[in-house]
Amino acid sequence: MSRIHVISFFNHLINCYLIEEMDGLTLIDTGYSFCYKKILKCADMIGKPIKKVVITHLHSDHIGGLKKIYKFCPEIQIYVPAKDYELLKTRQNLLTYPVEIKLYGYLKQSDKIGSLTVIDTPGHTQGSVSFYHPESKSLFCGDAFQTAGGFAIAGEMRLMFPFVALATWNRNIAKASAEKIVHENDIKQLLPGHGKKIFNMKENINRRMSK
């Protein structure tokens, strides 16, 4: 069974994740540029190489460490959301992509990367994706949801951690994505980009939907 390792910064204000696969590790998001040291140290402690990197969306707090990780792991396969990347190429968004590396693939609905399945969850950005881990029934949601400062769907303001809401492209689309996730997936635990994991995801989302 694939093991999940949480790599947190500032008491879970920023999270990255390592998934143990048969052939190595898959890294979900890379945090800011300073995060790479802790990520590489965790991989070293596990004793497996990072083989793949998958990105939930192209904001700097999720791809900031990618260039430095690539420097130390030049053979890694890097996957980014297809829609976000298309927007970057046409300069129709507010994101930056500060890495000059070869991308291996572009993520879209139902793609499978190792033990992970891609779920399109637009709203926070136009191309945001989440990753479902069927073995543990876990959802790695990037910024589709947050638990830092209180549980929220992307776009809902939490004064103790307002940054996800402030950076969200379309709150209504984010809410529709949240509803889709609840109805289409059996999720036991939610692992967000910002905040601690939770186990009562459906209860929290259904409460938000009623408002």
Side-chain angles (χ1 to χ4, degrees), residues 84-135:
D84 270 5
Y85 184 68
E86 288 300 315
L87 291 167
L88 286 173
K89 289 196 299 183
T90 58
R91 299 179 182 273
Q92 293 178 354
N93 64 328
L94 301 176
L95 308 180
T96 58
Y97 192 56
V99 288
E100 298 174 356
I101 57 178
K102 181 179 179 181
L103 299 177
Y104 192 85
Y106 303 95
L107 302 167
K108 58 187 183 301
Q109 176 71 29
S110 301
D111 283 350
K112 295 188 183 302
I113 309 296
S115 61
L116 301 171
T117 300
V118 178
I119 302 174
D120 286 336
T121 50
H124 182 62
T125 67
Q126 294 186 45
S128 291
V129 299
S130 297
F131 302 102
Y132 182 61
H133 188 249
E135 291 181 19

Side-chain angles (χ1 to χ4, degrees), residues 1-6 17 19 28 115-119 130-141 181 185-192 197-199 201:
M1 182 173 181
S2 302
R3 292 185 60 193
I4 297 169
H5 301 268
V6 182
Y17 301 94
I19 312 298
I28 301 175
S115 61
L116 301 171
T117 300
V118 178
I119 302 174
S130 297
F131 302 102
Y132 182 61
H133 188 249
E135 291 181 19
S136 61
K137 297 182 179 179
S138 300
L139 183 75
F140 302 88
C141 65
I181 289 170
N185 301 279
D186 182 12
I187 299 167
K188 286 189 175 179
Q189 63 175 346
L190 175 74
L191 297 105
K197 65 182 177 182
I198 60 171
F199 296 94
M201 180 182 171

